[in-house]
Amino acid sequence: MKIAELLTGKKDGEQVTLDKLSIPVTTLKSLQKEGYQHAKVFQDNQTLVCWGDACSACFTEGELRARDRSK
């Protein structure tokens, strides 16, 4: 799914829940600014895979929350 669609109508301080993963809106906005356009949850290991035209990465929920805290 597109990260832009996940952010529609959401405000900073809110969470987006995808297949049991709870991701801060500010983290998704940060990922989008870095060039990530799409996201998919792999339920077997509870990771979020993100990709864009020139980047791709896989994050655990803990890694996503740590990114939010570091800003």
Side-chain angles (χ1 to χ4, degrees):
M1 66 185 24
K2 291 188 176 193
I3 292 174
E5 291 175 6
L6 295 172
L7 293 172
T8 301
K10 301 291 185 188
K11 298 177 184 171
D12 291 354
E14 291 185 305
Q15 304 279 318
V16 174
T17 302
L18 293 171
D19 296 325
K20 300 180 184 177
L21 283 183
S22 185
I23 307 159
V25 167
T26 53
T27 299
L28 287 174
K29 285 182 178 180
S30 173
L31 289 170
Q32 190 176 41
K33 285 180 186 175
E34 292 175 26
Y36 297 102
Q37 300 167 351
H38 304 277
K40 179 179 179 176
V41 174
F42 283 99
Q43 293 180 353
D44 58 333
N45 60 4
Q46 290 296 295
T47 58
L48 182 73
V49 176
C50 299
W51 68 94
D53 291 335
C55 54
S56 64
C58 184
F59 304 98
T60 65
E61 187 173 10
E63 290 171 329
L64 293 166
R65 292 195 174 282
R67 288 175 62 94
D68 193 52
R69 285 190 299 268
S70 68
K71 301 211 178 206

